[in-house]
Amino acid sequence: MSASALTRRYAKALVELAVEQQAVDRYGEELATVNAIFVREELLRLLLDSPTLVMSKKAAMLSDLAAALNLSEGMRKFLGLLLTKDRLRYLPQIEETYRRLADELSGVLRARITAAVALDAEQQRAIGASLEKQTGKKVALNVTVDPQLLGGVKAEIGGRLFDGSVRTQLKRIEESLTKG
């Protein structure tokens, strides 16, 4: 089975469980937290992936982590399943797929906004409202700053890029002037 099919299967099962337990947002947050810890604490992730460490020790380590993070029972069981099936290494892809499936379920689109300078709350609201009007869905913004833009904003949403950066506008002017 391909990795993408495998991660989709686990993410879909977790979304279904989360819907049943009315904990879609909580499971998403818990999944993101555990994934961030595995990224930050590489030694922990390597130990849990190690074929030489006995399963009981891995389970104890994972249980301690779950207790320290105060994870829900459903998430504890899910992580335990990933551990016993040797699937913890797929957690980043499972989290990404889970988030996408949960967003589809709730009708939310995630937009990645890149601006030349930090945007205040009113500017973010205006961009969000404009994107919601264009897409007809609720939009969640993830804003980053890239000083190389010179000015303006880029928005990536649903695989589409809306480029309103000064650099791109200058390139368009240059192209139109050179074409005559």
Side-chain angles (χ1 to χ4, degrees), residues 168-180:
T168 300
Q169 292 173 13
L170 289 173
K171 283 182 183 178
R172 288 181 186 144
I173 292 171
E174 177 186 32
E175 289 172 2
S176 67
L177 290 174
T178 56
K179 288 180 181 177

Side-chain angles (χ1 to χ4, degrees), residues 43-55:
L43 181 59
L44 173 63
R45 185 184 52 77
L46 290 172
L47 284 171
L48 291 172
D49 275 344
S50 174
T52 58
L53 192 61
V54 291
M55 185 57 72

